[in-house]
Amino acid sequence: MAENLMDKIVSLCKRRGFIFQGSEIYGGLANTWDYGPYGVELKNNLKKAWWKANVQERNDILGMDSAILMHPRVWEASGHVHNFFDLKSDCKNCKKRFKSADLKDKTKCPECSGQLTEARPFNLMFKTYQGPVEETGNEIHLRPETAQGMFVNFLNILDSRHPKLPFGLAQIGKSFRNEITPGNFTFRTREFEQMEIEYFVNPKDANQALTDWIESRFNWYLNLGMKSENLRKRQHGKDELAHYAHACMDVEYNFPFGWAELEGIANRADFDLKQHAQYSGRDLQYFDDLKKEKFYPYIIEPSGGVDRAVLAFLTDAYQEEKVKEDTRAVLKLSKELAPVKAAVLPLLRNRPEIVELAKNISQDLKKSFNAVYDDTGSIGKLYRRQDEVGTLYCVTVDVQTLEDKQVTVRSRDTMLQERISVDRLKEYLINQLT
Ligand code: GAP
């Protein structure tokens, strides 16, 4: 059933325009995915909800958007050049490459039983060249995390905004990792988006800040409608901590393929600021002007994946309900996340007055939220399609509308239908959506 659910999600994503295989007409580029019209709306809504909760509604967090390409010394300082490795083994027979951590038997190929090579380190950063000459001196990396863009701007933020501890920086952006074993649809890819917060605190407050952020980030998923039975916390063992982390708690989701990481909340201590101070020669300490003391703040980092969160919310929202003899597939996404808030549907496609009125209504609704006009099928088909993409309300314009100036509004969740006057429709929907 669980595997089946993943197949259903992948199929719905393609059929309805959420997520497509990357470069599909060329046979696809493995493990790359393109977000279609509904996918990009969902993803944008998710990022907007994160930004609102973590930047706009707080007084202690500032937003940023730093460059993907950074000075090569950044990755030496951050430890990624020396520590950002997976151990991998190659099969001498079928030539496939495996992550050692995934292998039960480190000597035998899990696919063809051929002999595996000794495990060798494999750096996960993507290399490229800056400028027209492809030579070692021009080598740079695509960032494997957005975090470093915030650390290297610590001084700029102190000098331009003068924040007092505790304060945070937040950004959303693409990261790249040359993963050995990408897979499970959009769960593990080589190009993905992260939503990261770097929260700077006095070292004595770090443990409490870590606890608070774990709660805050866990609750964010619940507040956006994720089912609590599908969400859990898992503490990292000492042997799985990243090279920079003192402690880390994962928020895990119960994906169809099992429990897996959605977000990590780590105590990075003073590792990053100290390293960048040493490598750049700049003083990256914080000066407490009340106590007249200088120190390196500790950093608490909630770091989540946009694509993983989209996949988790899609999976969580998917439901099949028996309606009479039929099965209704519906995405019960929250009102914040649903890609389309209202669809305006003409009951009769061959009546120009009905079509025109429906188009005018949808045009007017679009000014306030994402609404669509759809006349590409019978009303039954249109309802079914809108349910499958999670549209919250369907507004039907029928013959009677021409006389009484009322439309039928059908709720996705209750399937109840109400007649609402066209004049009051927008206000009615805005009330439902807020
Ligand atoms: N700055 C800390 C950091 O990058 P991470 O645990 O390596 O920590 C944070 O990554 C989050 O980024 C993960 O919880 C996951 O949601 C997302 N992520 C990491 N690697 C990914 C990949 N290959 N594909 C999709 N998402 C990924």
Side-chain angles (χ1 to χ4, degrees), residues 80 84 144-148 151 175-179 181-183 186-198 221 236 242 244 248 250-251 261-266 268 301-309:
H80 283 82
F84 198 47
E145 60 174 8
T146 70
Q148 300 301 327
F151 304 142
S175 294
F176 302 82
R177 294 180 192 176
N178 205 357
E179 299 279 4
T181 49
T186 54
F187 178 80
R188 179 168 288 110
T189 50
R190 297 190 170 111
E191 169 184 350
F192 55 95
E193 236 176 324
Q194 291 185 305
M195 316 180 271
E196 298 201 293
I197 297 164
E198 306 305 330
Y221 293 98
H236 275 214
Y244 49 73
C248 187
D250 279 351
V251 174
E261 178 186 345
L262 203 49
E263 169 156 354
I265 300 117
R268 295 181 75 126
E301 179 194 63
S303 171
V306 175
D307 311 84
R308 278 188 195 181

Side-chain angles (χ1 to χ4, degrees), residues 99-131:
K99 198 165 150 178
S100 299
D102 296 339
L103 293 167
K104 282 205 181 82
D105 182 342
K106 311 276 182 218
T107 60
K108 198 160 86 181
C109 174
E111 300 213 350
C112 74
S113 301
Q115 199 191 354
L116 293 176
T117 60
E118 285 282 305
R120 279 172 300 176
F122 178 77
N123 194 291
L124 296 177
M125 283 196 294
F126 268 100
K127 259 187 213 155
T128 186
Y129 297 91
Q130 177 152 269

Side-chain angles (χ1 to χ4, degrees), residues 37-312:
Y38 290 125
V40 70
E41 292 291 342
L42 170 56
K43 194 162 145 167
N44 284 344
N45 290 344
L46 182 105
K47 291 191 277 184
K48 220 185 299 168
W50 185 90
W51 195 262
K52 184 166 177 285
N54 293 299
V55 181
Q56 292 173 340
E57 289 179 359
R58 296 185 64 123
N59 290 317
D60 56 349
I61 301 202
L62 300 163
M64 279 208 50
D65 184 17
S66 68
I68 287 173
L69 303 179
M70 300 182 76
H71 195 287
R73 295 275 285 167
V74 168
W75 308 115
E76 291 171 32
S78 70
H80 283 82
V81 169
H82 297 293
N83 296 307
F84 198 47
F85 287 104
D86 270 347
L87 288 173
K88 53 119 182 103
S89 294
D90 295 315
C91 174
K92 290 181 181 169
N93 182 39
C94 72
K95 311 292 178 212
K96 285 211 173 117
R97 180 162 284 179
F98 300 93
K99 198 165 150 178
S100 299
D102 296 339
L103 293 167
K104 282 205 181 82
D105 182 342
K106 311 276 182 218
T107 60
K108 198 160 86 181
C109 174
E111 300 213 350
C112 74
S113 301
Q115 199 191 354
L116 293 176
T117 60
E118 285 282 305
R120 279 172 300 176
F122 178 77
N123 194 291
L124 296 177
M125 283 196 294
F126 268 100
K127 259 187 213 155
T128 186
Y129 297 91
Q130 177 152 269
V133 188
E134 291 190 12
E135 57 188 20
T136 322
N138 294 341
E139 228 173 65
I140 54 171
H141 294 100
L142 302 185
R143 68 180 177 199
E145 60 174 8
T146 70
Q148 300 301 327
M150 295 185 266
F151 304 142
V152 302
N153 276 291
F154 181 68
L155 211 48
N156 282 332
I157 296 292
L158 287 185
D159 290 346
S160 60
R161 298 296 304 264
H162 312 287
K164 299 279 172 253
L165 291 187
F167 76 91
L169 297 175
Q171 75 170 328
I172 301 176
K174 289 254 176 168
S175 294
F176 302 82
R177 294 180 192 176
N178 205 357
E179 299 279 4
I180 300 168
T181 49
N184 282 325
F185 196 26
T186 54
F187 178 80
R188 179 168 288 110
T189 50
R190 297 190 170 111
E191 169 184 350
F192 55 95
E193 236 176 324
Q194 291 185 305
M195 316 180 271
E196 298 201 293
I197 297 164
E198 306 305 330
Y199 198 71
F200 302 93
V201 297
N202 190 309
K204 71 178 171 43
D205 301 326
N207 288 343
Q208 186 58 49
L210 181 64
T211 307
D212 294 346
W213 272 111
I214 292 166
E215 282 319 297
S216 165
R217 293 303 307 140
F218 191 82
N219 289 335
W220 182 78
Y221 293 98
L222 296 178
N223 293 341
L224 279 178
M226 199 169 269
K227 297 185 187 87
S228 57
E229 65 268 27
N230 286 335
L231 211 54
R232 73 177 187 192
K233 298 169 198 155
R234 191 183 67 81
Q235 178 104 39
H236 275 214
K238 287 272 173 250
D239 56 338
E240 42 172 344
L241 286 174
H243 62 272
Y244 49 73
H246 273 200
C248 187
M249 181 76 88
D250 279 351
V251 174
E252 292 191 334
Y253 182 75
N254 189 13
F255 286 97
F257 48 85
W259 288 95
E261 178 186 345
L262 203 49
E263 169 156 354
I265 300 117
N267 177 357
R268 295 181 75 126
D270 54 8
F271 176 84
D272 302 278
L273 290 178
K274 270 189 175 160
Q275 286 290 106
H276 285 302
Q278 189 193 330
Y279 278 72
S280 68
R282 306 293 293 272
D283 182 1
L284 300 184
Q285 293 181 88
Y286 174 84
F287 180 65
D288 183 331
D289 49 11
L290 286 179
K291 294 200 174 131
K292 305 285 178 226
E293 61 181 17
K294 251 178 150 186
F295 58 92
Y296 287 103
Y298 271 25
I299 296 169
I300 306 303
E301 179 194 63
S303 171
V306 175
D307 311 84
R308 278 188 195 181
V310 166
L311 181 59

